[in-house]
Amino acid sequence: MVKHLDNEQNNTEKEIEQKQEQENEQGYFKIKKFYFVMLLFVVVIAAAGITTIAFSFGDEPAVTVNNQRDEFNKLYTAYDTLMDSYYKDLSSDDLVNGAIDGMFTALDDPYSDYMNEEEAASFQQSISSSFEGIGAEIQQLNDSIVVVSPIKGSPAEKAGIKPNDKILTVDGKSLQGMSSSEAVLLIRGEKGTKVELEIERSGASEPLKITITRDTIPIETVYGEMDKDKIAKIQITSFSEHTASELVDILNKYQEDGMKGIVLDLRHNPGGLLEEVKKIAGLFVPDGEVIYQIEHKNGTVEKVTSQNSSNMDIPLVVLIDGGSASASEILAGAVNQSADVPLVGVKSFGKGTVQQAKSFTDGSNIKFTVDKWLTPNGSWIHEKGIEPTHKVELPSYASLTMINPESKLKIGSNSEEVKIAQEMLKALGYDIDNTNGYFDESTENATKEFQKKEKLKEDGVITGETTNELMNKLREKIQKSDTQMKKAVEVLKEEMKK
């Protein structure tokens, strides 16, 4: 058994050479008297959508072009022709940025992208200690912008944004054909300002319009609680620079309090830094066992193994869902296949590629796919996902979206929001004749019953305070009736008997 974990910060600044020559830096966790070394692969990352990518910085451009190369003749001719003959004055920077962006569009790879200076600065902000926006990870998929996962506790999560929601417009502006970086610039904004998203959701009869108030999004990634049975329920929301140390700190605390088992919740975790995943996997995967494999362009395969000689001997169960992507899937696959840890939930997202990023001296950068990653047994889960050991769905009402408190739903109203309100009331135990989106007498009566119980104005109209309280009560019910967490605890208790 592990008695205590200490985390020591590595104060050596990470340096990444322009030609990808890396010097391994050392840091460690201390478990009793044992140490396990963590090599810092800062350049290589595994991230879903647009976040937590490690950049390659240098004093010289990351990419240089020899203008004598014949394959660029057509490009130079097009550039010169436009600059000389186009009927308006053109910006040289715009044309060059457009040409680079076009190369990445030609890749047809949602995880490879060119970011201009503004986009790169916005992205860099997202991996700092906090940023202002709605708090949702997105990616470009088939010329559309799709939500990978909302961040825990964010305005996006509170508004009911779900994994796989397709964002059609932002404040009326279509996102069709935009890159994820371009979409982020529209969605982000100052704290307190509002943004309206038009969402296409599977199963919804019409697009949903959701107004979200932007806020400061803190990048705290580990949350936990321990129940009366000494079972620690720990959620990792993403893998950023300090996630491993945050997890070590919380495990220290719970271990001192007599922790007997762990449910590690990776639901709605869109991924992050590969190195952080390696550190965390090393806590649970025995020394020498495979964490993941990297398949290079030339077909060679490199196995990355745990370097922990004293891993935690505490029963573990991991929760996954459709919002668990990339680095989350690496961790889930590692503990499942190399440490026989059960997975509970539903199939994960399915991102099996590794990206690398390089910066230009003007502040712009490129990120591009360099490798495939494989699970310990050699499976490539890209666009397939990881199947759980125990498949458990959440109740259907857990996927309901937010109702705009400014909407006034009353007798005679007929809309998607009425349908959502009816389903919420029904989930909370109120009698509703149907949930077809038409606000009828039974819906009014159920609304009055709800208002009476919650000591609100009994007018049978769903708006303002009634809307907010309705959504709060549903959120509480979802948390209390988390079927996936309940199953994870049940499975963990069986593991604890072994």
Side-chain angles (χ1 to χ4, degrees):
M1 294 288 292
V2 177
K3 300 299 183 184
H4 191 74
L5 297 174
D6 291 325
N7 181 67
E8 293 197 13
Q9 297 296 324
N10 188 334
N11 293 320
T12 306
E13 184 172 346
K14 304 178 185 73
E15 295 182 352
I16 304 175
E17 295 299 330
Q18 196 63 54
K19 296 183 179 179
Q20 304 177 37
E21 297 175 0
Q22 301 178 11
E23 295 182 2
N24 292 334
E25 300 174 7
Q26 294 184 336
Y28 55 84
F29 293 138
K30 184 167 69 175
I31 302 181
K32 294 185 181 177
K33 298 180 181 179
F34 299 95
Y35 298 85
F36 48 109
V37 179
M38 293 169 284
L39 305 179
L40 303 183
F41 297 87
V42 183
V43 176
V44 181
I45 54 85
I50 59 168
T51 59
T52 53
I53 291 177
F55 285 90
S56 170
F57 295 100
D59 295 328
E60 299 298 328
V63 179
T64 58
V65 177
N66 180 352
N67 61 12
Q68 299 302 313
R69 290 167 57 175
D70 291 342
E71 60 264 43
F72 288 102
N73 287 342
K74 185 188 292 186
L75 178 64
Y76 298 144
T77 300
Y79 173 87
D80 290 339
T81 300
L82 289 173
M83 291 297 289
D84 292 341
S85 304
Y86 194 68
Y87 81 106
K88 291 182 183 178
D89 289 337
L90 297 174
S91 163
S92 175
D93 286 345
D94 287 347
L95 290 184
V96 171
N97 287 338
I100 298 173
D101 195 46
M103 282 189 254
F104 281 86
T105 299
L107 297 176
D108 194 25
D109 178 0
Y111 305 109
S112 296
D113 194 15
Y114 167 69
M115 299 184 213
N116 62 31
E117 299 93 314
E118 185 181 8
E119 293 163 348
S122 176
F123 175 82
Q124 183 65 24
Q125 185 187 52
S126 73
I127 58 175
S128 62
S129 60
S130 67
F131 64 93
E132 293 183 353
I134 67 168
E137 306 292 341
I138 62 174
Q139 71 160 357
Q140 182 186 20
L141 187 63
N142 299 326
D143 286 333
S144 297
I145 299 299
V146 178
V147 175
V148 175
S149 184
I151 295 173
K152 179 180 174 65
S154 67
E157 183 189 53
K158 293 175 183 177
I161 298 295
K162 304 293 181 184
N164 297 313
D165 279 350
K166 183 185 293 184
I167 305 177
L168 303 178
T169 66
V170 176
D171 288 333
K173 185 171 183 177
S174 174
L175 300 188
Q176 184 70 25
M178 281 192 185
S179 69
S180 57
S181 301
E182 292 170 325
V184 164
L185 292 179
L186 292 178
I187 297 170
R188 283 238 182 113
E190 293 184 5
K191 176 181 178 179
T193 60
K194 293 183 178 182
V195 60
E196 184 183 75
L197 306 184
E198 186 176 12
I199 299 292
E200 182 180 294
R201 176 174 296 167
S202 177
S205 58
E206 60 186 48
L208 309 171
K209 289 189 176 181
I210 302 176
T211 300
I212 305 175
T213 301
R214 300 177 177 102
D215 203 348
T216 299
I217 311 299
I219 311 300
E220 183 179 349
T221 60
V222 181
Y223 303 82
E225 62 180 17
M226 191 157 68
D227 66 19
K228 59 181 175 57
D229 296 320
K230 300 299 182 180
I231 291 174
K233 300 172 183 177
I234 301 174
Q235 183 179 24
I236 301 177
T237 59
S238 65
F239 298 93
S240 65
E241 288 182 350
H242 305 297
T243 300
S245 61
E246 288 179 35
L247 179 61
V248 167
D249 288 342
I250 204 167
L251 288 175
N252 284 343
K253 179 181 183 303
Y254 291 155
Q255 191 149 346
E256 290 171 356
D257 294 338
M259 176 175 64
K260 296 179 180 178
I262 303 169
V263 175
L264 191 61
D265 191 350
L266 301 181
R267 293 176 297 178
H268 288 196
N269 183 325
L273 295 174
L274 183 60
E275 178 57 26
E276 293 299 298
V277 178
K278 184 184 174 187
K279 296 174 188 178
I280 292 170
L283 292 170
F284 307 107
V285 175
D287 183 47
E289 294 294 324
V290 176
I291 296 176
Y292 60 89
Q293 303 182 58
I294 293 293
E295 182 178 327
H296 301 294
K297 184 177 182 179
N298 61 8
T300 60
V301 176
E302 171 192 354
K303 293 185 177 181
V304 178
T305 58
S306 173
Q307 299 179 31
N308 173 24
S309 60
S310 54
N311 59 288
M312 297 185 68
D313 186 21
I314 294 178
L316 172 70
V317 171
V318 172
L319 278 166
I320 59 172
D321 69 1
S324 306
S326 192
S328 297
E329 294 171 298
I330 289 177
L331 180 55
V335 297
N336 178 244
Q337 296 180 11
S338 292
D340 296 322
V341 170
L343 306 179
V344 175
V346 294
K347 185 173 70 173
S348 64
F349 183 83
K351 178 180 180 290
T353 56
V354 178
Q355 282 66 46
Q356 190 175 63
K358 286 183 176 292
S359 67
F360 294 93
T361 54
D362 65 358
S364 61
N365 66 69
I366 54 176
K367 66 180 176 75
F368 49 97
T369 301
V370 290
D371 293 310
K372 297 178 181 179
W373 71 262
L374 313 175
T375 62
N377 69 10
S379 298
W380 192 39
I381 58 90
H382 195 64
E383 298 182 350
K384 300 174 185 175
I386 295 176
E387 292 287 351
T389 314
H390 304 274
K391 184 176 181 179
V392 183
E393 300 276 358
L394 287 174
S396 59
Y397 57 76
S399 63
L400 293 175
T401 192
M402 185 187 84
I403 305 169
N404 187 346
E406 295 178 5
S407 299
K408 183 173 286 189
L409 312 180
K410 57 185 180 179
I411 282 284
S413 298
N414 190 1
S415 68
E416 185 68 23
E417 285 194 318
V418 172
K419 178 177 172 63
I420 293 169
Q422 290 170 330
E423 291 175 344
M424 287 182 178
L425 287 165
K426 187 173 182 179
L428 292 171
Y430 295 92
D431 290 332
I432 296 285
D433 288 346
N434 57 65
T435 56
N436 60 2
Y438 180 72
F439 202 116
D440 57 11
E441 187 176 346
S442 75
T443 305
E444 184 182 55
N445 291 336
T447 300
K448 288 180 178 179
E449 287 181 40
F450 173 79
Q451 291 170 328
K452 182 177 181 180
K453 182 178 179 181
E454 302 305 326
K455 299 179 181 179
L456 301 169
K457 181 181 177 181
E458 298 175 40
D459 59 4
V461 178
I462 300 176
T463 189
E465 192 175 2
T466 295
T467 300
N468 288 326
E469 191 61 25
L470 181 61
M471 292 188 293
N472 286 336
K473 291 302 177 184
L474 183 69
R475 190 176 296 116
E476 290 174 7
K477 181 178 178 64
I478 291 171
Q479 292 172 346
K480 290 178 181 178
S481 58
D482 187 341
T483 52
Q484 293 172 339
M485 179 60 78
K486 287 180 179 179
K487 180 64 176 179
V489 171
E490 176 189 322
V491 172
L492 181 61
K493 287 181 176 179
E494 290 300 315
E495 292 291 313
M496 291 163 61
K497 294 177 183 178
K498 295 180 181 179

